[in-house]
Amino acid sequence: MKNTKYFAILAASLSLTACSNDEAVLGGQNTAKKGMELKATLADEIAGRANITTGLSNWTFEFTENDNISVTNSAIDGEFYTFKRDTESFTSAVAEVTEEPTDWFAFYPSHEFDLVYQAGDAVSAANHYGMIGSTASATTGATGLEIALRSQVAILEVAYFEEDGLKLNVKSGNGWVTALSGKFDAAGEPFFDVTTKSEAVPLLSVTAKGTYYVAVPAGIKLELFNGETAIRKTVDAGLVAGKHYRMIVGEPRPAGSYGTAMARLSPDSEEETPVSWTQLWPGGPKFADMNVGATAVTAEVTLNSEKKYESACFGGYYTWGGSIDKDPNSEYNQGNSELVGDDDTATKLWGSNWKMPSYKAFSDLINTKYTDGGTRVENYKGIQGLNGYVFKGIGEYAYNEIFLPRCGYYEGVDQRAVGVGHYWTSTSVSYDEIKYLELGNYAPKIEDESGYLSQSVRAILAEPISGHGEAIINGQTVIKSWVQLWDGGPKFATNVAVNPDDVMGYFSFDEANQTGKDFIWGENWHTPSKSELDGLHTNNYYSDYIYIWYTQKNDQWGFLFNGRGYYYNACLFVPVMYEASSENGYCQLWSSDINSDLSCGSLLLNYNEYGSSVNSTGAPSTQKQLLCPVFNGTPCEAPVVNPGIGIGTNNEGIKLEGEEWE
């Protein structure tokens, strides 16, 4: 089978074709038989390389047709033959065998080649993948040559996310790297010497964001720059030859999808420490990067004197709603309820900035609609015994990830091994059935368990359930309120269905579905997507935490959506459009989606003798419907107006802005 040279990156094989050069004959002292064959193989450290550095990418290298290798021997005094790849081996029509056995040396892709201005793709990286080798013993070459090549460079996978262009300059010592040149040391062993210049010449120069592959010298200390700005530097020993390193230049994560919040990490101290959090999908929960009770995100796993697994990243093991690590009395909350406030383990231990994830938060985490679904990993980041699951975002959130260790659980006095991980949610489904996330040697899943079991807690940021944001109406800046009803849910405007005159209005799909600055309230708001509206019609106890009533407020009949648990004080009122009475009424809210039958997406709210129903539906684009904007900007302070109106609980004091709600 014909070999090809390629990089397999992220399991996707890319076939590469090397540049074809005319064969150059650089002398020869013998008049013996001309024409030789070279069988070049790859040393084990090249051919078998996989799961390199981060474990995110695999790659291999093989030769392809028209590759060149420069070959010399100790008898021709620094001159070189060019051998060209053809099918299974390399051949040279002019290379000459020697009269006496001698040592032969090979340099790929040549004995001298530039590293500057590489193209940045996998083909270019392969064509600059400098290797050397020599025959195992002296030979005349009459029966051909066999040489195993070993790498002298490393490959940088550069993910570039800035705007001003990347000029990757590489410094070695006091000079800037430009080329590799084949040399021999005092013992006669071949090596590539690094050529440097006093002025920087980029190894890679690109203007667009993207992922690029660059060959750089291995085994020497390097300093990497973007133009004149230092990026990174290696240790004194440099990069390991044959390895593939991933490097990020710029910030790949969306703004607002990562940050820190203060937490009280020690139960015995009031001192607070910043804890990092990460968001894995737009509008999703902001997961802490470590467990409650932990002192580190990652740490070595050890066995204590009782042969129990321990790690600084495992954190505590708590009964449901408990705050004592491995509580010997197994005191825990009971009841068909959602943990809120001081009943919540994360809030109790870390403070009001944090809370336990709801069932929905964890069920969304393992849903491939929002994340990669989770990948089981062993020895995370090279730490022996640290096993668990990595969850990554998708799309523009692909560089966001969290790690949940499989740190076992605690039952009575028996701590279990690290083969599984159990993480509480804040959600119970019956008197003593609590939802938890289970991680093992299988796909992540949500299970039920009694609250007396001591399990891990991974907190999420306890964000405000309501707030304010600027809107542009009739060219004027107006402060509007929003409310959130579930973990990671959209920030619905509390003043629904308004037009530019700030009164209840009806819109066609085209009018409602403008974007950016053209949206009815400006770029801080948008028409809700179908998925954002769908949360309003899952009236299921442990799914979206929404109560729905058909009720009357300020002489207006409508639908009241009330959150549960942590969101119990948040409520949204949507007035009906037609047939408003205590017996019936309905309305439709626009979404920004188009249904599969090409009708325009909307949410139908209906009430009749059979009760309330809320379902996704479709409508002609010309139909007039209500619009409930969703906030996507930066929250601002509330205006000092009408202090008697505010977010209330249940049927009290529902926030309804606008002149029609005085």
Side-chain angles (χ1 to χ4, degrees):
M1 178 182 294
K2 181 183 296 184
N3 289 328
T4 58
K5 175 177 60 178
Y6 62 91
F7 282 93
I9 296 172
L10 293 174
S13 297
L14 303 177
S15 179
L16 309 182
T17 303
C19 299
S20 175
N21 299 316
D22 292 334
E23 188 173 85
V25 181
L26 302 177
Q29 296 180 344
N30 301 296
T31 58
K33 173 186 174 184
K34 288 187 176 183
M36 297 177 62
E37 181 182 46
L38 165 65
K39 290 185 178 179
T41 58
L42 302 175
D44 289 342
E45 69 268 19
I46 299 173
R49 185 66 61 187
N51 294 322
I52 298 167
T53 58
T54 63
L56 297 174
S57 303
N58 298 330
W59 67 276
T60 58
F61 173 94
E62 293 181 4
F63 294 110
T64 190
E65 290 185 25
N66 299 323
D67 272 347
N68 291 334
I69 293 180
S70 291
V71 177
T72 188
N73 61 56
S74 54
I76 59 175
D77 194 22
E79 296 182 347
F80 289 86
Y81 301 116
T82 298
F83 282 69
K84 182 174 292 186
R85 175 80 172 180
D86 183 15
T87 63
E88 298 298 317
S89 62
F90 293 79
T91 59
S92 171
V94 298
E96 300 176 350
V97 301
T98 58
E99 295 179 356
E100 300 293 334
T102 187
D103 294 320
W104 295 76
F105 308 96
F107 297 83
Y108 171 86
S110 177
H111 62 288
E112 293 182 334
F113 63 97
D114 287 339
L115 290 174
V116 299
Y117 292 111
Q118 296 178 48
D121 56 22
V123 175
S124 173
N127 289 338
H128 291 83
Y129 194 62
M131 295 183 287
I132 59 174
S134 57
T135 51
S137 59
T139 178
T140 64
T143 59
L145 302 173
E146 292 189 11
I147 298 178
L149 297 171
R150 60 186 184 276
S151 175
Q152 300 291 287
V153 302
I155 299 297
L156 292 181
E157 178 186 338
V158 183
Y160 176 67
F161 290 94
E162 293 183 345
E163 300 287 349
D164 299 329
L166 172 65
K167 287 187 180 296
L168 184 64
N169 298 318
V170 178
K171 179 180 282 189
S172 173
N174 295 322
W176 298 94
V177 173
T178 61
L180 294 179
S181 178
K183 300 288 180 63
F184 295 89
D185 62 20
E189 292 297 320
F191 71 97
F192 273 122
D193 190 26
V194 178
T195 302
T196 61
K197 291 185 177 180
S198 59
E199 294 184 0
V201 184
L203 273 56
L204 175 71
S205 180
V206 294
T207 58
K209 296 179 181 180
T211 300
Y212 301 94
Y213 305 94
V214 186
V216 297
I220 61 172
K221 184 177 180 62
L222 299 176
E223 296 181 70
L224 279 57
F225 294 78
N226 181 9
E228 297 179 353
T229 303
I231 301 174
R232 295 187 68 176
K233 61 176 65 176
T234 71
V235 296
D236 290 345
L239 303 178
V240 177
K243 274 200 172 183
H244 168 203
Y245 296 86
R246 198 172 195 223
M247 183 177 70
I248 296 175
V249 179
E251 179 51 70
R253 299 172 295 173
S257 68
Y258 59 96
T260 62
M262 303 304 289
R264 188 179 59 249
L265 297 186
S266 173
D268 301 323
S269 173
E270 292 300 317
E271 182 179 355
E272 293 190 326
T273 302
V275 172
S276 298
W277 55 261
T278 302
Q279 188 179 47
L280 297 183
W281 63 91
K286 296 171 179 176
F287 290 93
D289 287 347
M290 67 181 186
N291 289 348
V292 173
T295 58
V297 176
T298 57
E300 183 180 0
V301 178
T302 59
L303 286 171
N304 63 21
S305 60
E306 298 178 349
K307 303 300 182 183
K308 307 293 175 59
Y309 289 94
E310 291 184 339
S311 174
C313 71
F314 282 2
Y317 298 84
Y318 308 102
T319 58
W320 191 62
S323 58
I324 300 174
D325 184 17
K326 298 185 285 289
D327 186 352
N329 298 317
S330 294
E331 295 182 1
Y332 65 101
N333 287 58
Q334 289 181 302
N336 187 7
S337 64
E338 186 84 11
L339 291 178
V340 180
D342 286 341
D343 290 332
D344 182 304
T345 297
T347 305
K348 194 180 302 183
L349 291 176
W350 273 12
S352 59
N353 286 335
W354 303 93
K355 71 186 189 75
M356 294 166 66
S358 64
Y359 167 87
K360 178 173 172 56
F362 269 150
S363 61
D364 285 350
L365 177 68
I366 64 177
N367 186 341
T368 54
K369 175 181 177 181
Y370 300 107
T371 72
D372 66 351
T375 301
R376 184 165 58 90
V377 296
E378 309 294 323
N379 303 324
Y380 180 63
K381 292 190 179 296
I383 300 174
Q384 189 65 32
L386 185 54
N387 307 326
Y389 269 80
V390 172
F391 293 88
K392 289 180 171 295
I394 55 179
E396 66 173 337
Y397 283 70
Y399 282 86
N400 289 21
E401 70 175 46
I402 60 170
F403 172 70
L404 296 178
R406 302 200 322 263
C407 42
Y409 56 94
Y410 192 87
E411 186 174 14
V413 296
D414 183 21
Q415 182 178 338
R416 302 302 172 93
V418 294
V420 296
H422 290 180
Y423 288 83
W424 284 126
T425 75
S426 59
T427 308
S428 69
V429 293
S430 67
Y431 184 72
D432 201 21
E433 289 183 68
I434 316 302
K435 290 291 183 181
Y436 74 95
L437 172 65
E438 181 171 305
L439 306 173
N441 296 321
Y442 36 78
K445 58 183 179 179
I446 307 292
E447 295 287 354
D448 298 341
E449 184 56 82
S450 172
Y452 79 89
L453 192 70
S454 293
Q455 301 189 143
S456 302
V457 172
R458 175 61 62 96
I460 63 175
L461 201 61
E463 298 184 271
I465 64 175
S466 63
H468 300 81
E470 292 184 354
I472 306 298
I473 300 178
N474 285 339
Q476 300 295 315
T477 299
V478 179
I479 305 301
K480 292 294 184 181
S481 298
W482 53 260
V483 64
Q484 186 171 326
L485 298 174
W486 63 86
D487 283 336
K491 297 177 173 65
F492 289 111
T494 57
N495 184 359
V496 299
V498 298
N499 63 20
D501 296 325
D502 203 19
V503 296
M504 184 169 168
Y506 306 99
F507 306 88
S508 69
F509 180 77
D510 291 339
E511 290 172 330
N513 205 28
Q514 298 296 316
T515 58
K517 293 181 179 180
D518 294 328
F519 184 67
I520 195 73
W521 281 3
E523 60 187 343
N524 285 337
W525 303 80
H526 66 268
T527 298
S529 65
K530 179 180 182 298
S531 62
E532 288 175 322
L533 282 179
D534 278 350
L536 293 176
H537 72 91
T538 306
N539 192 14
N540 179 298
Y541 185 80
Y542 52 88
S543 181
D544 287 304
Y545 313 108
I546 299 298
Y547 282 120
I548 305 173
W549 289 285
Y550 184 66
T551 188
Q552 188 178 29
K553 187 65 179 177
N554 295 344
D555 298 324
Q556 173 68 59
W557 285 95
F559 294 84
L560 179 66
F561 299 90
N562 212 137
R564 292 181 174 175
Y566 176 76
Y567 299 92
Y568 186 76
N569 286 336
C571 49
L572 172 68
F573 182 80
V574 179
V576 299
M577 294 168 57
Y578 308 111
E579 301 180 44
S581 71
S582 61
E583 299 178 351
N584 54 54
Y586 74 94
C587 66
Q588 286 183 259
L589 293 173
W590 281 121
S591 82
S592 59
D593 294 62
I594 303 295
N595 294 325
S596 58
D597 62 359
L598 301 184
S599 65
C600 301
S602 63
L603 196 69
L604 174 64
L605 286 66
N606 186 62
Y607 180 79
N608 54 35
E609 60 182 308
Y610 302 106
S612 299
S613 64
V614 186
N615 298 287
S616 293
T617 184
S621 62
T622 56
Q623 181 175 319
K624 296 287 187 176
Q625 296 185 171
L626 299 181
L627 172 61
C628 183
V630 170
F631 184 63
N632 54 255
T634 301
C636 64
E637 295 297 322
V640 183
V641 292
N642 202 352
I645 297 179
I647 298 294
T649 59
N650 293 342
N651 295 316
E652 298 179 1
I654 302 168
K655 178 78 169 182
L656 297 169
E657 288 185 358
E659 294 178 354
E660 71 276 26
W661 302 116
E662 289 297 328

